[in-house]
Amino acid sequence: MNMNGDPLAGLKDIHLPADIGWWPPAPGWWLLAVVAGPLFYFLARRVVAWLRNRRYRREAISGLRKSFAAYGKHGDGYRFLCEVSVLLRRLAIHRYGRTVVADLTGTDWLEFLDRTGKTGEFTGGAGSALGEAIYSGKAEGDPEKIVALAEQWIRVQR
């Protein structure tokens, strides 16, 4: 050691520790993965189911509007009412099952639509034409109101 010189000259520089690696993660990250993994899976399944549910309703409303547009071209009210009734029946079978819906006709069918659509317009309003037209061959009723009522019924279905 040199007593006359700089006393710090003999010291060596500080050595920093090595950088911390990202693997293995800390226990908190493992816990987060264990909790978030199933939660993410559950939420993803719910979102997919929600999208599927919306898709069939979107397609039904699109088909309903196409039938109304076709009615505007051909003017056949009987054909229009048959198309709407078939569309609603297909949706009801998809939603409630064939055993519940397939045997319903006339007033029973309209009451079912009222009950499941939370309305009274099928038996006592514009929707009554759906139950009568197919069997009588007469097309009576306001197509715009029928489309609005059918669209409302479709939107209520979950």
Side-chain angles (χ1 to χ4, degrees), residues 11 54 63 76 92 96 119 121 132 135 146:
L11 295 177
R54 289 187 50 154
D76 185 359
Y96 297 100
T119 183
E121 291 294 312
E132 300 164 2
Y135 303 107
I146 292 170

Side-chain angles (χ1 to χ4, degrees), residues 10-150:
L11 295 177
K12 295 188 177 187
D13 198 13
I14 297 174
H15 295 286
L16 297 175
D19 290 337
I20 299 174
W22 64 276
W23 194 261
W29 289 110
W30 286 108
L31 181 64
L32 180 66
V34 166
V35 171
L39 181 64
F40 177 74
Y41 175 76
F42 173 76
L43 289 175
R45 284 184 54 110
R46 296 285 293 178
V47 166
V48 167
W50 181 74
L51 289 173
R52 280 187 186 150
N53 188 21
R54 289 187 50 154
R55 186 182 79 206
Y56 92 85
R57 288 187 306 175
R58 251 191 338 263
E59 289 175 1
I61 290 172
S62 173
L64 186 65
R65 290 180 181 162
K66 285 179 186 175
S67 292
F68 185 66
Y71 167 75
K73 291 179 184 174
H74 59 68
D76 185 359
Y78 176 73
R79 179 174 154 192
F80 168 72
L81 290 174
C82 289
E83 288 174 0
V84 171
S85 185
V86 166
L87 177 73
L88 291 178
R89 187 170 297 272
R90 285 178 52 213
L91 281 170
I93 287 172
H94 174 75
R95 172 70 176 89
Y96 297 100
R98 185 171 300 279
T99 57
V100 174
V101 178
D103 293 337
L104 299 175
T105 58
T107 307
D108 293 336
W109 168 239
L110 296 177
E111 287 173 354
F112 171 81
L113 291 174
D114 278 340
R115 188 174 58 252
T116 57
K118 299 178 178 107
T119 183
E121 291 294 312
F122 284 103
T123 53
S128 62
L130 292 173
E132 300 164 2
I134 293 176
Y135 303 107
S136 68
K138 298 176 187 174
E140 297 177 3
D142 184 6
E144 290 180 7
K145 288 182 181 178
I146 292 170
V147 166
L149 183 59

